Amino acid sequence: MADIFDLIVIGAGWYGLAAAKAYIELHPDEKILITEAGSSFGGTWSKERLYAGLKSNNLKGSYEHPDFPMSEDVYGVKSGQHIPAETLHRYLSDLATKFGIAERTRFNMTTTQIESRPDDTWFVTMVSKQEQEEVLHSKKLIVATGLTSQPNLPTYAGQETFTPAFFHAKDFCARGDILHTAKKAAVVGAGKSSFDVAYAFATSGAKVDLIIRPTGQGPVWICPPYVTPFKRMMEELLSTRLLTWFSPVPWGDEDGFGVARSFLHKTGIGRFIVDNFWNQISNEVYEAHGYHDHPELFKLKPWNSAFWTGSGVGIHNYPTNFFDLVKQGQIRVHIADIKQLEGNYIQLTTGEKLDTDALICATGWKKGSGLKFVNFDTGLQKTEAQTRSLIDQADKEVRDMFPILRAQPVLRTPAPSKEPLRNYRFIVPTQSFFKRNIAFAGMVSTVTTAVFANAQGLWISAYLDGKLERTPKNQEEVIKKVMLDTQFQKWRYPCGYGASIPDFAFDSIPYVDLLLNDLGIKPHRKSTQITEIMEPYKPRDYKGLTQQWLESHST
Ligand SMILES: Cc1cc2nc3c(=O)[nH]c(=O)nc-3n(C[C@H](O)[C@H](O)[C@H](O)COP(=O)(O)OP(=O)(O)OC[C@H]3O[C@@H](n4cnc5c(N)ncnc54)[C@H](O)[C@@H]3O)c2cc1C
Ligand SMILES: *[C@@H]1O[C@H](CO)[C@@H](O)[C@H](O)[C@H]1NC(C)=O
């Protein structure tokens, strides 16, 4: 076996790139490798996965690395515009080149297995496209394989007899020609990507049947780009400090405004104000879309309050109005399951029979890395009874802390009962915290990806070096924090991903505060108290974080 790497990063999407950038800057002379299953940079935004019309939900200025502004001269995107996927791909590839990542990357290498060695180093098994297996040895690992790498493709009765094209939205790029040939298309799913695919077909002239299962979480919350209070862009509301106070979160006090938060969540008047705040947001969206004015549109009205939803909220980023296509009948909505496929027909449980040229499943992703771990357990490593007791304690703590979470919405399908990822700060597996040899980047769902990727990247480097200013003192403390944070997620976002992976909406900036406080970096980045609480946080507010850290921690 060849010599040992200091660090291997698995995955070259947003999170892998940002983590590699920070680590390389702090350890320019170490032996570092980034391995990637695909053949280009960007993950979700890699060349292989671009499809017609795909754009970021984020607007220009909120989906860029703080240390690498997406200049309008180079990338041609103006402020107020959504970023085309091919531009994001180019931008992320340029980022990789600029920060020395490209020269350390190997593409077309799928990691299949990670084995923990007795000396706490790792054997990483990878398979090339030509099926060549290779085992590399590394002291440390950053796993950044993303939450959207393994498609979740349903199986249907009779699918072997089905003649039209049938695939997952992940392959929409590779199968893009279908847009020119299909006259009728069926799309399964209720999330933003099902809307994206339906929109692409409908605007290419196809008649679309959008099939939403009656037992799921219902249609995605989709917002007009501008929402009250203040008629601000939705993404800006989520990262305006004052508004983050309205969302209960255990690490809220990290922002230094614990008094305001206590008033809002722990007093009767406070809770009344909080309820109103959320109702106002929901009503504004309902009215803006006119769900109640048209029977077809009504089918797309979300089933639960936005309060319970988390990052799954979508934004209208289409050149024309999606809902007009529904009103005109170009997109027909069915709240039904697929009973059977046969020839070129889709039989629905409502009795309807749809004739189609294509069936695309925008049915989400399997959570988890898909990696096989040997001699390493990413879970709690407790007996079932011990785990149960830890869960009960944490649940009680969450309910006592935030009474608003006691009135849970009624779900049509119960949340998965599988253990969620139990990572410290949603990054480090509980059992290995004191070994400092592995971290997971990006095992979170948020709309503030760029800011998260940057903060997690630096935090991970500092953590692996044993240089965090604030860490738990012992394993017991690690478990206590992990349990509170992960159980909170389950209570907070039952209609989002909370039960399986951490989900973030208004709690995003407070999470970044938490990581910065661990690093000993001041989380308030604005120049005055007023801008601090009123002006939305953007990537540019975190410019130079790694340099700042280097200066204060050079030895
Ligand atoms: C269609 C679509 C649109 C989206 N739009 C937005 C948006 O507008 N705004 C937003 O904030 N978020 C958006 N998201 C979420 C988006 O995925 C995240 O913002 C971000 O790109 C995730 O980065 P990541 O690095 O965690 O994962 P990814 O981008 O998925 O990168 C993970 C990388 O790891 C590689 N990998 C996986 N498994 C292995 C393995 N075993 N071995 C080697 N390599 C492996 C993959 O090939 C991939 O390159 C969107 C997602 C999708 C699917
Ligand atoms: C990766 O594989 C693709 C095709 O599968 C190929 O076009 C590309 O050249 C490969 N890249 C590298 C760096 O080997």
Side-chain angles (χ1 to χ4, degrees):
M1 193 172 298
D3 34 327
I4 186 163
F5 285 94
D6 292 297
L7 173 74
I8 294 182
V9 181
I10 307 171
W14 260 111
Y15 283 91
L17 291 171
K21 170 193 175 284
Y23 196 91
I24 292 169
E25 281 176 312
L26 297 178
H27 310 83
D29 303 323
E30 286 194 7
K31 199 168 156 163
I32 301 163
L33 177 74
I34 294 91
T35 65
E36 167 55 54
S39 53
S40 68
F41 287 111
T44 301
W45 311 103
S46 63
K47 198 163 194 164
E48 311 88 279
R49 286 176 62 182
L50 309 179
Y51 57 80
L54 179 61
K55 282 184 191 170
S56 65
N57 276 323
N58 292 79
L59 294 164
K60 155 94 189 322
S62 70
Y63 208 43
E64 61 190 41
H65 194 285
D67 295 335
F68 191 53
M70 190 179 287
S71 113
E72 189 186 324
D73 294 345
V74 180
Y75 298 99
V77 186
K78 296 191 176 56
S79 61
Q81 290 182 335
H82 298 278
I83 310 159
E86 67 255 32
T87 307
L88 266 168
H89 169 63
R90 179 156 72 97
Y91 167 84
L92 290 170
S93 305
D94 292 349
L95 179 128
T97 305
K98 164 143 182 167
F99 294 101
I101 302 164
E103 67 207 61
R104 295 172 168 90
T105 301
R106 283 181 67 187
F107 289 116
N108 295 342
M109 296 298 283
T110 302
T111 299
T112 51
Q113 180 175 302
I114 293 173
E115 180 185 339
S116 170
R117 306 292 302 157
D119 62 355
D120 290 336
T121 61
W122 302 94
F123 280 170
V124 181
T125 308
M126 300 192 269
V127 183
S128 72
K129 284 229 165 108
Q130 293 74 35
E131 313 262 308
Q132 298 275 20
E133 197 176 274
E134 213 176 311
V135 180
L136 300 181
H137 193 191
S138 183
K139 290 183 191 159
K140 292 171 184 188
L141 280 185
I142 297 177
V143 181
T145 47
L147 297 170
T148 57
S149 293
Q150 298 192 82
N152 182 28
L153 188 66
T155 49
Y156 297 115
Q159 71 183 48
E160 61 292 344
T161 69
F162 192 60
T163 44
F166 170 41
F167 55 88
H168 189 271
K170 186 187 185 189
D171 300 318
F172 203 36
C173 165
R175 314 281 294 265
D177 284 350
I178 193 95
L179 273 181
H180 310 297
T181 54
K183 302 221 160 27
K184 284 169 275 174
V187 183
V188 185
K192 178 69 180 359
S193 0
S194 72
F195 282 36
D196 286 355
V197 175
Y199 183 87
F201 275 112
T203 49
S204 309
K207 288 266 185 206
V208 180
D209 288 294
L210 179 60
I211 304 168
I212 296 180
R213 70 190 167 118
T215 51
Q217 308 288 16
V220 60
W221 264 96
I222 184 153
C223 298
Y226 296 88
V227 203
T228 36
F230 320 140
K231 280 282 169 211
R232 275 227 182 126
M233 286 180 266
M234 187 61 196
E235 59 182 57
E236 296 196 333
L237 291 185
L238 294 178
S239 53
T240 299
R241 201 176 279 292
L242 174 75
L243 300 179
T244 69
W245 299 343
F246 290 85
S247 190
V249 65
W251 53 86
D253 293 358
E254 292 283 319
D255 71 359
F257 292 102
V259 176
R261 285 178 178 272
S262 283
F263 166 70
L264 288 171
H265 299 287
K266 302 211 156 77
T267 69
I269 307 177
R271 291 211 288 275
F272 177 78
I273 297 173
V274 169
D275 277 344
N276 269 310
F277 170 82
W278 286 96
N279 285 338
Q280 152 132 17
I281 291 195
S282 298
N283 289 336
E284 161 116 3
V285 172
Y286 290 151
E287 269 164 41
H289 291 158
Y291 287 124
H292 292 270
D293 306 338
H294 196 284
E296 284 301 303
L297 274 194
F298 185 72
K299 295 183 189 165
L300 290 179
K301 183 180 164 185
W303 298 345
N304 289 299
S305 159
F307 177 77
W308 304 109
T309 301
S311 62
V313 175
I315 292 177
H316 280 283
N317 56 350
Y318 309 112
T320 59
N321 191 325
F322 179 90
F323 288 139
D324 284 349
L325 295 166
V326 178
K327 286 193 214 162
Q328 291 152 9
Q330 190 77 16
I331 297 175
R332 291 185 303 171
V333 183
H334 309 268
I335 308 292
D337 275 315
I338 292 182
K339 193 173 168 205
Q340 193 172 347
L341 303 177
E342 195 185 348
N344 54 338
Y345 287 101
I346 300 169
Q347 177 82 55
L348 299 180
T349 45
T350 49
E352 268 173 295
K353 206 170 168 191
L354 313 172
D355 154 22
T356 195
D357 301 325
L359 172 59
I360 319 303
C361 294
T363 38
W365 310 89
K366 291 184 185 137
K367 303 301 173 201
S369 61
L371 301 174
K372 183 173 171 218
F373 291 93
V374 178
N375 301 333
F376 185 73
D377 177 357
T378 54
L380 281 178
Q381 277 200 313
K382 297 275 178 198
T383 65
E384 218 168 289
Q386 287 167 327
T387 306
R388 191 63 256 163
S389 146
L390 287 169
I391 290 175
D392 290 344
Q393 275 170 35
D395 282 353
K396 181 170 182 315
E397 210 178 326
V398 171
R399 285 191 306 257
D400 290 347
M401 209 181 254
F402 301 116
I404 192 174
L405 301 181
R406 290 179 201 164
Q408 291 280 298
V410 180
L411 303 184
R412 300 187 186 196
T413 312
S417 58
K418 225 178 120 221
E419 269 284 284
L421 278 175
R422 300 277 189 197
N423 289 352
Y424 183 79
R425 299 294 194 231
F426 307 115
I427 298 175
V428 185
T430 307
Q431 67 144 315
S432 59
F433 187 83
F434 293 100
K435 290 192 178 161
R436 293 197 274 103
N437 63 351
I438 187 168
F440 289 77
M443 288 294 151
V444 291
S445 190
T446 174
V447 295
T448 48
T449 304
V451 167
F452 266 42
N454 179 48
Q456 283 198 339
L458 177 58
W459 190 97
I460 289 171
S461 273
Y463 160 74
L464 293 175
D465 290 345
K467 288 189 177 165
L468 288 177
E469 303 259 307
R470 174 178 67 179
T471 59
K473 282 180 271 321
N474 50 42
Q475 189 61 15
E476 212 177 316
E477 201 183 312
V478 173
I479 291 178
K480 204 167 153 35
K481 291 250 155 64
V482 167
M483 290 310 294
L484 176 64
D485 291 349
T486 51
Q487 285 310 109
F488 164 77
Q489 281 288 340
K490 178 179 157 278
W491 287 86
R492 182 66 186 86
Y493 294 119
C495 302
Y497 303 111
S500 51
I501 48 159
D503 208 341
F504 293 85
F506 283 98
D507 14 42
S508 299
I509 295 302
Y511 173 72
V512 175
D513 297 340
L514 178 70
L515 298 186
L516 296 196
N517 282 331
D518 284 348
L519 284 159
I521 294 178
K522 198 169 140 264
H524 289 190
R525 317 284 302 169
K526 305 282 191 186
S527 51
T528 70
Q529 192 80 339
I530 293 292
T531 48
E532 185 57 50
I533 65 171
M534 299 293 288
E535 190 185 83
Y537 264 90
K538 296 266 171 93
R540 62 165 180 264
D541 294 304
Y542 298 97
K543 186 173 174 2
L545 220 53
T546 308
Q547 285 312 317
Q548 195 183 334
W549 163 262
L550 255 181
E551 281 155 26
S552 57
H553 289 81
S554 53
T555 39

